[in-house]
Amino acid sequence: MTANKREQRLNDVGITAAVLGGDALKQQQISSLAEIATRVPSLSYASAPNGTPVYTLRGVGFYETSIGAYPSVSIYLDEVPLSFPVLTNHSTFDLERVEILKGPQGTLFGQNSTGGAINYIVAKPTEVFTAGAQATYGRFNQLDLEGFVSGPLSDTLLARFSGRMETADGWQVSDSRHRDRNGRVRNYMGRLQLGYDAGSGLRLLFNANGWKDKSQTQAAQFIALQFQNENLSDPPGQYRNAAVASTPFSALNPRSGDWTSRSVYYDHRIPFADNRLYQLSLRGDLDIGDFGTVTSITAYTDYKMRQGNDTDGLALRSFDAALTVGRIKSFNQELRFANDPGQPVRFVVGGNFSKDSVDQNVFFDYPDSSARIAFDALFGAPIDVLNVRNNQDMRNIAGFSNIEADVAGNLTLKAGVRYTNSRNKAAICQGDPLPPYIYGNLIIAFSEAFGGPGRGTYTPDECASLNLNPATFAPVVNYAPFAALAEYRHILKEDNISWRLGADYKLGGGALVYLNVSKGYKAGSFPTISGSNLAQYNPARQEAVMAYEGGVKTSLLNRRLQANVAAFYYDYSQKQLRTKLNDPIFGQLDVLQNIPKSSVKGAEAELTIRLSPDLTATAAYTYLDATIDRYVGVNAGGDVGIDFSGTEIPYTPKHQASLGMNYERQLGDAITLFAGANVNMRSSTISTPGGRINPSTINDSVTSCVYCIRGYTLVDGQIGIRSTDRRWQAFLWGKNIFNSYYWSNVVSGYDIVTRYAGRPATYGMTFVHHF
């Protein structure tokens, strides 16, 4: 693994980590980080309403649907950062392995790795010609094709080209149109690598990779009707849309869901995607005699998004993110020097520069919501559309150093430090995108009612949020009059010092005992949300994690048993979390805030045992006690001033475990039989602070805990044959074999509460051939 920016044996690295090999990824049909999360206890995945993936590692994560939000678990492709979670899609192909580093990794991997870092290690160009192809056919007419060609182009130049295509029919069944399907897959990925070795200590590796996603985005499941805008209705629900209220709730099975067949923004069904990414990177390594190596990594990433998400799980339009248009341009440069790794004192010193430009424009569509009916009845303003655009320019400069020193025989002392200076310039505007601009003119009326400047009618492209803070009744920005309509503009400047101290001690028999103390930071963030006032766009400030960890790695029973155990405690300050507020105009809305103090206590254990020459078993378990220690806010029921002390942090199951079995048996001289099974378990958690307190909802089947994410167990398996020389293999596979109904997220929008269900049982056959 490469946790210290150089290759080492996993047992020699004094941190907790998990490594999944490329062959295991292929055999288990793992093609996304969401599926990797099911194999690694302590790593959790949640689906956001706009499709942005959210990863939480050991209770440290950042749930935010904006494409321009830095994560708490950073993702790398051969040490090249995929700076935002939305960029990590479709990278899990032609890999040598995946490394999951747990705990703050800020000294070597930068801020935004407070939870940990995940590094995709790509299969590299080979010195001899080799090629391979695989084909998969499965349920829902799934057809996946993948292949690679690798070898020398000259004495000094190597090349590798790999590609993958994924197609499938829709797996979701419409609740209202039983022949309509959603979830069609159309993904195309490719990667070209060129490796150059001049023979004089200079090595270059060029990587051009990209993908195209034209799939249909997942639709939500409608599970509860929520009394929204209760401050505007007496009795509650008097403005409810009768069509929404009479719509049956989604069936409690994986395939159930619903979606809107047409949007007001385009003549197209809402669940769709037309997204693409390309990335160029160049790594150069120059050996300075026997002293060390200078490494330069330069990368540019360009991402375009155009997609629609049905977020209400209805054929109606109660609240849909009907169209999201986005663009990310990211440039990264790292330069470092590392001395000879064979020396008793090993060090690396370097610096990073990154510049990210993120533009996002989300169009919301809600003509069937209670908001439209209420505002029509109360103000003669039947509002049903709006859009929010968020433009950000980020710049980060960092310098880092790390040192390891072998002292006193088997004792190694470690220290690392990184200084980061960051700047984020944001401009956020909520507007009315369609005539007759009912929403825009209503906000003008509110502006005048609150004492804002008098003015005429709303003009196209004008920002329609009020410059006032409802909590203090004071202006939010000083460049616009009080209660005026204005764009939110702000520059967030922050700096921090991440550090790590540790010690590794090797016992007899090769056992490693390690202790680490570290501090990491995640940069502040601006939300992309619907806000009637500018206070809702104030950023969450940078968060920090102070981590204490100790563990043991050991091989026993003549290396038949590998055992790893670790315990840790995190002092978590200013955690960034999407929570709720009661807006004076629209009722309960989202807001991005800092939780002053939280903590995470936990322990992990991993066992790998060779039960016989043919049979290997693995087991892993993670226990987490992740709690909010100090925070007062709004709970899921809309109650204000709630003290959340002692309540759980969202998306942090207390118990997570996995079991695996792999069997191989020689059948004659040419054929090997192999089989494998994986059982993965998660206990329950919640999706919002105070999520075990129910809001006022209607649906008897879920009233026990509307915002709970129920615990679940998934069982996968494979069985097949391969040639003894591994030139070909054919196997049957199944995922979620027992068709467990589970979900990764629960969200609300105006009137409704929805779930995002996991995939149903899938199964198929794969054939692999190497030339």
Side-chain angles (χ1 to χ4, degrees):
M1 65 177 309
T2 56
N4 292 313
K5 302 268 181 156
R6 66 176 188 277
E7 290 197 354
Q8 297 174 272
R9 292 177 60 249
L10 181 59
N11 271 8
D12 293 336
V13 181
I15 64 170
T16 308
V19 177
L20 302 178
D23 290 340
L25 294 173
K26 291 180 180 179
Q27 180 175 317
Q28 297 175 31
Q29 289 294 294
I30 295 175
S31 58
S32 70
L33 196 48
E35 292 178 316
I36 290 174
T38 66
R39 298 297 192 273
V40 180
S42 73
L43 179 62
S44 299
Y45 164 82
S47 296
N50 71 341
T52 302
V54 178
Y55 305 106
T56 301
L57 192 53
R58 284 182 170 177
V60 180
F62 181 44
Y63 179 82
E64 169 56 30
T65 60
S66 168
I67 66 172
Y70 287 128
S72 295
V73 179
S74 56
I75 315 294
Y76 290 81
L77 187 72
D78 277 346
E79 299 186 31
V80 174
L82 299 168
S83 303
F84 303 97
V86 74
L87 306 181
T88 65
N89 297 323
H90 311 308
S91 296
T92 314
F93 73 100
D94 196 32
L95 298 180
E96 180 182 312
R97 64 184 183 275
V98 178
E99 304 172 351
I100 298 97
L101 314 178
K102 303 179 183 181
Q105 305 294 322
T107 55
L108 287 176
F109 288 90
Q111 66 174 2
N112 311 320
S113 58
T114 46
I118 299 174
N119 200 8
Y120 292 121
I121 306 299
V122 175
K124 301 299 188 297
T126 54
E127 295 182 352
V128 297
F129 175 80
T130 183
Q134 72 175 51
T136 294
Y137 183 78
R139 190 184 184 190
F140 307 118
N141 282 324
Q142 174 187 349
L143 177 61
D144 297 343
L145 301 175
E146 182 174 335
F148 75 92
V149 178
S150 179
L153 299 180
S154 70
D155 293 340
T156 58
L157 185 63
L158 307 177
R160 185 184 187 99
F161 175 75
S162 55
R164 179 177 174 87
M165 180 186 74
E166 301 172 346
T167 66
D169 295 339
W171 59 276
Q172 290 188 289
V173 180
S174 169
D175 293 331
S176 62
R177 306 174 303 277
H178 300 305
R179 293 189 176 183
D180 197 3
R181 299 292 185 268
N182 183 60
R184 185 191 67 188
V185 175
R186 296 290 186 273
N187 298 323
Y188 312 91
M189 300 87 93
R191 182 182 297 126
L192 171 66
Q193 299 176 84
L194 298 173
Y196 174 76
D197 189 340
S200 58
L202 174 64
R203 299 174 301 280
L204 300 175
L205 180 64
F206 172 76
N207 186 331
N209 66 88
W211 50 260
K212 181 77 170 179
D213 183 340
K214 295 182 70 68
S215 302
Q216 292 170 342
T217 57
Q218 182 177 351
Q221 294 184 334
F222 173 42
I223 64 162
L225 192 62
Q226 181 169 267
F227 288 115
Q228 188 63 279
N229 296 316
E230 291 187 10
N231 57 320
L232 299 179
S233 56
D234 185 19
Q238 74 173 29
Y239 300 117
R240 182 75 62 215
N241 186 324
V244 173
S246 63
T247 299
F249 298 109
S250 294
L252 303 182
N253 69 66
R255 299 188 65 184
S256 179
D258 219 339
W259 50 92
T260 302
S261 58
R262 287 292 181 267
S263 165
V264 299
Y265 296 103
Y266 47 87
D267 187 25
H268 197 287
R269 57 188 277 153
I270 285 182
F272 84 99
D274 187 6
N275 307 328
R276 66 99 175 121
L277 174 144
Y278 72 84
Q279 183 182 72
L280 306 174
S281 68
L282 178 64
R283 173 172 178 150
D285 292 283
L286 177 63
D287 296 331
I288 309 299
D290 296 329
F291 183 53
T293 302
V294 175
T295 299
S296 171
I297 300 176
T298 307
Y300 174 76
T301 305
D302 191 299
Y303 168 76
K304 278 187 177 181
M305 166 185 276
R306 181 179 175 84
Q307 70 179 40
N309 294 86
D310 192 295
T311 55
D312 59 18
L314 299 171
L316 301 167
R317 291 177 288 161
S318 177
F319 190 74
D320 290 328
L323 178 63
T324 299
V325 180
R327 183 77 179 269
I328 297 176
K329 297 180 181 179
S330 180
F331 173 79
N332 290 271
Q333 173 65 55
E334 176 170 315
L335 185 65
R336 67 176 188 257
F337 175 78
N339 73 328
D340 182 357
Q343 296 298 314
V345 177
R346 300 167 295 281
F347 67 87
V348 57
V349 60
N352 296 89
F353 172 82
S354 70
K355 184 173 177 56
D356 303 305
S357 173
V358 183
D359 300 321
Q360 183 177 12
N361 198 348
V362 186
F363 295 84
F364 296 103
D365 193 6
Y366 49 97
D368 300 314
S369 71
S370 62
R372 183 185 190 278
I373 299 172
F375 280 95
D376 188 20
L378 295 172
F379 308 108
I383 58 174
D384 56 12
V385 295
L386 60 84
N387 73 296
V388 179
R389 60 171 171 81
N390 187 337
N391 307 116
Q392 299 181 68
D393 289 306
M394 300 106 142
R395 187 269 299 149
N396 301 282
I397 301 173
F400 63 90
S401 64
N402 194 73
I403 188 169
E404 300 175 348
D406 298 331
V407 297
N410 292 333
L411 177 64
T412 299
L413 299 181
K414 306 172 294 184
V417 64
R418 173 187 290 255
Y419 170 76
T420 302
N421 181 278
S422 63
R423 185 197 67 201
N424 187 350
K425 182 180 180 181
I428 307 174
C429 176
Q430 175 167 291
D432 190 339
L434 295 176
Y437 307 115
I438 298 171
Y439 170 76
N441 287 308
L442 177 64
I443 291 296
I444 289 175
F446 278 120
S447 171
E448 294 173 348
F450 285 125
R455 44 155 302 145
T457 59
Y458 179 84
T459 58
D461 298 324
E462 185 178 9
C463 297
S465 296
L466 299 181
N467 183 26
L468 66 85
N469 187 330
T472 62
F473 211 67
V476 179
V477 298
N478 58 13
Y479 53 80
F482 171 75
L485 278 67
E487 178 184 60
Y488 179 86
R489 300 193 300 270
H490 186 69
I491 299 178
L492 180 62
K493 297 180 180 180
E494 297 176 320
D495 62 356
N496 58 70
I497 298 176
S498 301
W499 54 268
R500 171 182 286 178
L501 297 173
D504 299 344
Y505 187 78
K506 292 185 178 179
L507 301 173
L512 177 69
V513 179
Y514 60 91
L515 292 171
N516 295 312
V517 180
S518 59
K519 189 166 188 177
Y521 291 86
K522 180 202 169 300
S525 187
F526 292 93
T528 302
I529 57 176
S530 172
S532 65
N533 63 83
L534 298 187
Q536 289 179 249
Y537 299 125
N538 283 329
R541 300 285 172 169
Q542 64 184 357
E543 66 182 30
V545 173
M546 185 76 178
Y548 307 85
E549 179 174 359
V552 179
K553 299 180 179 182
T554 183
S555 295
L556 304 170
L557 303 178
N558 196 27
R559 297 186 179 273
R560 291 176 56 196
L561 172 65
Q562 174 68 40
N564 304 328
V565 294
F568 52 89
Y569 172 77
Y570 294 168
D571 186 353
Y572 203 169
S573 61
Q574 300 300 320
K575 174 178 174 59
Q576 300 169 20
L577 198 64
R578 182 175 280 229
T579 61
K580 302 292 184 180
L581 62 75
N582 281 332
D583 183 80
I585 299 176
F586 293 100
Q588 192 177 136
L589 295 176
D590 286 351
V591 65
L592 188 61
Q593 292 183 329
N594 290 102
I595 305 299
K597 191 176 188 310
S598 307
S599 59
V600 182
K601 299 182 285 290
E604 297 183 344
E606 297 178 354
L607 297 175
T608 301
I609 183 169
R610 192 171 183 86
L611 297 171
S612 73
D614 302 325
L615 182 62
T616 301
T618 61
Y621 171 74
T622 296
Y623 169 80
L624 288 175
D625 181 8
T627 59
I628 294 172
D629 298 326
R630 190 172 70 252
Y631 171 62
V632 176
V634 180
N635 68 13
D639 302 314
V640 299
I642 300 301
D643 186 353
F644 288 90
S645 300
T647 61
E648 62 192 290
I649 295 175
Y651 307 107
T652 55
K654 189 173 289 272
H655 304 283
Q656 303 174 64
S658 67
L659 297 172
M661 301 285 286
N662 283 286
Y663 177 80
E664 291 193 10
R665 184 67 180 269
Q666 194 80 18
L667 302 178
D669 296 332
I671 302 295
T672 299
L673 170 71
F674 65 90
N678 303 91
V679 181
N680 304 279
M681 184 274 289
R682 299 287 192 274
S683 63
S684 68
T685 183
I686 55 176
S687 65
T688 189
R692 298 194 187 274
I693 304 297
N694 275 345
S696 299
T697 60
I698 302 172
N699 188 345
D700 291 340
S701 64
V702 296
T703 50
S704 59
C705 186
V706 173
Y707 286 97
C708 280
I709 300 173
R710 188 178 65 185
Y712 59 88
T713 299
L714 303 179
V715 179
D716 302 343
Q718 316 89 37
I719 185 169
I721 57 173
R722 68 165 65 98
S723 63
T724 303
D725 60 7
R726 292 182 175 265
R727 290 182 62 87
W728 64 265
Q729 60 178 319
F731 58 94
L732 300 172
W733 54 267
K735 294 191 285 189
N736 190 10
I737 292 174
F738 297 105
N739 202 38
S740 294
Y741 174 50
Y742 70 101
W743 54 92
S744 66
N745 204 1
V746 184
V747 297
S748 63
Y750 282 150
D751 306 303
I752 47 86
V753 182
T754 59
R755 286 177 181 158
Y756 287 85
R759 292 288 298 266
T762 54
Y763 39 82
M765 182 173 185
T766 297
F767 180 77
V768 183
H769 193 278
H770 288 93
F771 304 93

